[in-house]
Amino acid sequence: MKKSTIIRFLTISTVLYFVLNIIVYYRWEYRNNKIEKELLQKYDTNGDGLFSIEESNPELNESQRELSSDTARGLAPFTLIPISLILGLIVTLIYNFLAKSKKTLMY
């Protein structure tokens, strides 16, 4: 492999890694805001922002559990490394193939 191809691969993979992490972060923030606003506020019957024993029910407990589970977001920086490398490799191979075929067509 040429040095320029390796640099291109590493650059594409790094950009993909950061873009995917940003997508995961904003998706998580959207999800949490939706759960807080739509699900949890409907169970706060007295409107004080806290949940008392009288307001507790299974649906509220499930919503709170969904809101507090952040394992996917916590592991995203690690799990996105191989994904971004694989996508970077695919994009680099496609780019090299298209560049080579373009050179062939020009001659």
Side-chain angles (χ1 to χ4, degrees):
M1 285 179 98
K2 294 180 184 178
K3 186 176 180 179
S4 63
T5 304
I6 294 171
I7 292 172
R8 185 179 303 121
F9 164 71
L10 292 175
T11 304
I12 291 170
S13 296
T14 304
V15 168
L16 283 170
Y17 175 74
F18 286 116
V19 167
L20 290 172
N21 272 302
I22 290 170
I23 290 170
V24 167
Y25 174 77
Y26 282 109
R27 174 66 180 121
W28 185 260
E29 289 300 316
Y30 170 77
R31 182 181 167 275
N32 279 353
N33 289 336
K34 183 177 179 183
I35 290 172
E36 281 180 359
K37 290 179 182 170
E38 293 178 4
L39 296 177
L40 295 181
Q41 287 182 358
K42 72 179 178 183
Y43 297 116
D44 187 16
T45 56
N46 59 4
D48 64 353
L50 302 172
F51 299 107
S52 61
I53 294 174
E54 295 83 27
E55 296 172 329
S56 182
N57 60 39
E59 291 87 16
L60 172 65
N61 295 336
E62 178 65 25
S63 298
Q64 287 180 326
R65 188 186 64 74
E66 279 186 39
L67 187 61
S68 64
S69 67
D70 66 344
T71 306
R73 191 182 123 217
L75 291 176
F78 303 110
T79 57
L80 288 176
I81 292 172
I83 293 171
S84 63
L85 289 174
I86 291 169
L87 289 174
L89 181 64
I90 292 170
V91 170
T92 304
L93 291 174
I94 291 171
Y95 177 82
N96 287 344
F97 175 75
L98 292 175
K100 192 180 284 186
S101 65
K102 184 178 179 182
K103 284 182 183 178
T104 307
L105 290 175
M106 292 182 123
Y107 293 114

